Amino acid sequence: MSTPIVLLDRIRPTLGFQAGTLAITVAAATLALSVAYTHTKAPIAQAVSADTLASLAQVLPEGSYDNDVGADTLAAQRDGKPVVVHVARRAGTVTGVVLELAERGYSGDIGLVVGIQRDGRVSGVRVTRHTETPGLGDKIEKAKTDWVLDFNGKSLADPTPERWRVKKDNGVFDQFAGATITPRAVVKGVKGALDLYAAHKDRWLASPPPR
C-alpha cells in the first residue's frame, strides 16, 4: 500500500526540477524578446517615419511647402478612428494638407496618405501599408500600377459625391478583375479624407505653425 507514496516521493523532485527549468527558460526567452524589442524599436520607428515622409513628399506638389510637414500636424477623427493631418506651408501660409488615415480592405486595414490642396482638389494619394492579395489587391500600390494616380485633381465637385465609387457601383473609378473590395475601400478612404477636409478646412487653413 505504501508503493504509490514512495513513487510520488521519488517523482516530486523531478517535477520540481522540470518546473524550475521551465520557469528559467520562459524568463530567459522573455528577457531576450524584451532586449530584442528595445534594440529594434528605434530603427523600426525611424524606418516608418522615413517611409511616411517620403509618402508625404509624393502627394504634395513640388515646391508647395517649405516647412517640416512631418512635424507640423493636427489631430482629427473619422468614424471614431484617429487621423493625422499634416499641414503644408509656404512662407507661413497653408498651401494644403495631407491626411494620414486607414480604411478597411479585403484582408485588413489599408493605410493611406491623401494630399489635398487649398481649393479641395486631391494633389496625390499613396498607399502606405496593406495586406491585400498579391497579384490582385496589391495593384493599389504605385509600384505595381498607376491606378492610384486617377485621384489626382479630383474633388467633391468632380466627380459629384454619388459618383465617388468604382465603376461596378456606378462610379467613375476602375476596379480590378477579381478584386473589387480593395479599390472600393481606397475610393471610400479618399472621399472620406475630402469630406473631412470640407468639414474642417476653415480651422485647418487658419492653424498657426507649431512652436
Side-chain angles (χ1 to χ4, degrees), residues 28 42 66 74 89 91 97 107 129:
D66 56 15
L74 302 169
R89 307 175 194 269
V97 297
S107 58
R129 69 182 189 281

Side-chain angles (χ1 to χ4, degrees), residues 72-111:
D72 196 340
T73 61
L74 302 169
Q77 281 196 340
R78 173 175 170 261
D79 297 333
K81 297 179 180 179
V83 175
V84 179
V85 182
H86 297 268
V87 182
R89 307 175 194 269
R90 184 163 183 80
T93 300
V94 178
T95 57
V97 297
V98 179
L99 275 63
E100 192 177 347
L101 68 158
E103 186 65 48
R104 181 71 183 182
Y106 177 75
S107 58
D109 281 347
I110 299 173

Side-chain angles (χ1 to χ4, degrees), residues 19 34 42 45 54 71 118-119 127 137 159 176 182 185 204:
S34 177
R118 283 183 67 97
D119 61 4
V127 174
F176 311 139
T182 301
W204 291 351

Side-chain angles (χ1 to χ4, degrees), residues 7-50:
L7 289 174
L8 182 59
D9 288 341
R10 291 178 179 176
I11 291 172
R12 277 174 180 164
T14 302
L15 292 176
F17 174 77
Q18 291 176 341
T21 302
L22 178 61
I24 293 172
T25 301
V26 171
T30 302
L31 178 61
L33 288 173
S34 177
V35 171
Y37 174 75
T38 301
H39 283 80
T40 60
K41 181 179 178 180
I44 290 174
Q46 290 174 357
V48 170
S49 177

Side-chain angles (χ1 to χ4, degrees), residues 147 150-151 154 159 163-168 171-175 187:
W147 178 81
D150 289 346
F151 294 105
K154 297 294 194 298
R163 297 279 284 166
W164 268 88
R165 299 186 176 105
V166 295
K167 290 180 179 177
K168 187 175 182 179
V172 302
F173 298 97
D174 290 330
Q175 63 267 335
V187 171

Side-chain angles (χ1 to χ4, degrees), residues 130-146:
H130 73 86
T131 55
E132 302 302 279
T133 307
L136 293 173
D138 64 352
K139 294 176 183 177
I140 56 177
E141 296 177 31
K142 176 61 176 63
K144 303 288 185 179
T145 72
D146 287 338

